Amino acid sequence: MIIMAITSSSTITISKLDFPVSFSQSINKKISISSIPFCTKKYVPKKLFFSIKNPKSCGYISNSLVNDCSIDEISKENKTQVSIDVKTSTWNWKGYSIRYQFCGNSGPALVLVHGFGANSDHWRKNIPVLAQSHRVFSIDLIGYGYSDKPNPRELGVDNFYSFETWGSQLNDFCKDVIGDKAFFICNSIGGLVGLQAAILEPQLCRGILLLNISLRMLHITKQPWFGRSVIKAFQNLLRNTELGKFFFKSVATPEAVKNILCQCYYDTSQVTDELVQAILLPGLEPGAVDVFLEFICYSAGPLPEELLPQVKCPVLVAWGDKDPWEPIELGRAYGKFDTVEDFVVLPNVGHCPQDEAPHLVNPLVESFVARHANA
């Protein structure tokens, strides 16, 4: 998320996306999701208490109603107090320690994939709710959270922190830890990780839900030719001089993290001290600065519009319409790919819907999985 704040004020003019896509979607019955009340919640370490709606397969996609119940009907359901343990463990992947969280004993497997600068704690409002009817796993991608952060300069490879690396990690996690194929629920750059994983080993992915997937507007191909050398020079300056480390230290503070989060959350009341600490503390771990500098200099690799046509599984795209970093006007183009079943607008929500508006995201996940669980 930090890199998004850095680049969101770029002065480079970027034209609208121009994708060679076709559009074929059905609209059955309009539905309003703007009136859903926020789930009341209380967070206690190791025990999570959520006041949740009765797990009921009621899906909504875009302006379509896919079954006989409505969101308003769900909001009228009697709420039930639920106490559930979310467990934390580590997994050895290629000699590196990977942290993950898990919950739930039955149902389809879900893997929740975080965005840049975040970690599995960013799904703390989703894991125990979804675990009522699913096996839920949330992973710290290598380099983030409390997973190992190897120094890329010592590995002797270019672009170690890439979507190919993380995609392979995600697939191996499905094979080694879950022992089953899974649905990938992804936010921001995590969306590219999920897409890349599904392309590398399609037999492991049952479906992908993309929440405000990163548009990758700093990708080298999206820059005007006259600006590419300037961007490259700036990246080299950050990566190869003390300026990069100085800059990282300036943003790795509670005040800076809170300010960044308040940029990307439309409802800033959700930017709590708990959230700030969940994002900040792993960023103070040894090696975090090297990962940060490596990724902000990663302006190559795949784009969402390149990956989407290659995916064989169902894809649903959802977007907070108040995202200041990934404009919904550009994101709508992804809904027109044949591989995408629909595009969902999440009203009055910013860049991280799963945390800012779990009352919208959790039912959306449940309905998406229910539609494809028997496929």
Side-chain angles (χ1 to χ4, degrees):
M1 288 187 298
I2 293 174
I3 185 62
M4 294 305 304
I6 297 166
T7 60
S8 61
S9 60
S10 173
T11 58
I12 297 177
T13 302
I14 303 169
S15 61
K16 66 180 180 179
L17 298 181
D18 183 16
F19 299 152
V21 296
S22 60
F23 179 81
S24 57
Q25 296 170 335
S26 62
I27 298 178
N28 300 321
K29 182 178 177 182
K30 290 186 178 180
I31 183 168
S32 171
I33 60 177
S34 60
S35 61
I36 307 175
F38 193 88
C39 285
T40 58
K41 55 195 176 297
K42 179 180 179 183
Y43 178 82
V44 181
K46 293 190 178 181
K47 286 281 187 180
L48 292 161
F49 299 89
F50 276 74
S51 176
I52 65 171
K53 305 173 183 68
N54 187 32
K56 187 174 181 181
S57 178
C58 180
Y60 54 92
I61 56 175
S62 187
N63 292 320
S64 302
L65 182 65
V66 297
N67 59 27
D68 293 330
C69 63
S70 70
I71 297 299
D72 287 339
E73 287 171 352
I74 282 191
S75 66
K76 293 176 183 177
E77 292 282 342
N78 292 328
K79 295 179 180 179
T80 305
Q81 195 76 6
V82 176
S83 173
I84 189 167
D85 279 319
V86 176
K87 299 178 181 179
T88 299
S89 186
T90 57
W91 162 54
N92 186 300
W93 182 63
K94 299 184 177 180
Y96 300 113
S97 176
I98 304 298
R99 196 253 312 225
Y100 68 94
Q101 300 181 59
F102 63 101
C103 192
N105 298 313
S106 62
L110 314 180
V111 184
L112 314 182
V113 187
H114 63 80
F116 178 81
N119 57 80
S120 60
D121 291 331
H122 213 191
W123 300 93
R124 69 199 188 286
K125 299 176 184 177
N126 316 102
I127 299 172
V129 178
L130 297 174
Q132 298 304 301
S133 51
H134 306 83
R135 291 171 291 145
V136 184
F137 301 83
S138 181
I139 188 172
D140 287 2
L141 298 173
I142 189 167
Y144 295 109
Y146 295 97
S147 290
D148 280 350
K149 302 170 179 60
N151 189 329
R153 294 174 180 269
E154 298 175 356
L155 298 176
V157 297
D158 294 331
N159 298 325
F160 174 77
Y161 293 106
S162 67
F163 299 114
E164 289 80 4
T165 297
W166 292 317
S168 296
Q169 179 190 353
L170 189 56
N171 284 333
D172 289 344
F173 183 79
C174 289
K175 290 182 286 188
D176 297 349
V177 178
I178 302 176
D180 196 1
K181 55 186 178 180
F183 289 90
F184 300 155
I185 315 301
C186 314
N187 176 229
S188 191
I189 69 160
L192 285 106
V193 175
L195 292 174
Q196 183 68 73
I199 292 168
L200 290 173
E201 298 194 57
Q203 75 279 6
L204 295 174
C205 183
R206 304 181 70 176
I208 307 174
L209 198 162
L210 303 172
L211 299 167
N212 291 61
I213 186 173
S214 172
L215 297 166
R216 300 210 66 200
M217 297 311 294
L218 282 188
H219 194 279
I220 195 66
T221 62
K222 293 190 175 184
Q223 308 310 316
W225 65 268
F226 53 83
R228 295 178 184 179
S229 59
V230 175
I231 292 174
K232 191 65 177 178
F234 180 67
Q235 290 174 331
N236 288 335
L237 183 67
L238 287 176
R239 191 180 182 205
N240 299 317
T241 71
E242 291 300 310
L243 179 62
K245 293 181 179 179
F246 174 79
F247 179 72
F248 178 80
K249 289 180 180 179
S250 70
V251 297
T253 67
E255 296 78 13
V257 170
K258 184 172 184 178
N259 288 336
I260 292 168
L261 289 167
C262 284
Q263 287 181 33
C264 69
Y265 278 55
Y266 183 71
D267 179 6
T268 56
S269 69
Q270 300 307 313
V271 182
T272 62
D273 290 341
E274 174 195 337
L275 173 62
V276 171
Q277 291 300 305
I279 299 297
L280 174 64
L281 292 182
L284 302 178
E285 296 255 306
V289 61
D290 298 310
V291 179
F292 172 82
L293 295 176
E294 179 78 2
F295 190 75
I296 65 175
C297 295
Y298 179 50
S299 55
L303 293 166
E305 53 266 34
E306 296 171 341
L307 297 177
L308 278 168
Q310 303 178 58
V311 176
K312 305 301 182 184
C313 64
V315 179
L316 180 64
V317 179
W319 217 279
D321 66 350
K322 296 298 191 292
D323 188 339
W325 298 342
E326 310 288 1
I328 191 170
E329 292 77 15
L330 299 180
R332 286 184 189 277
Y334 296 140
K336 298 179 182 179
F337 280 85
D338 289 339
T339 51
V340 176
E341 68 178 34
D342 217 326
F343 185 92
V344 180
V345 177
L346 303 175
N348 299 317
V349 180
H351 184 65
C352 307
Q354 78 278 8
D355 188 65
E356 184 181 347
H359 60 295
L360 299 182
V361 170
N362 291 335
L364 186 63
V365 173
E366 290 172 345
S367 65
F368 174 69
V369 172
R371 288 197 300 279
H372 302 290
N374 296 320

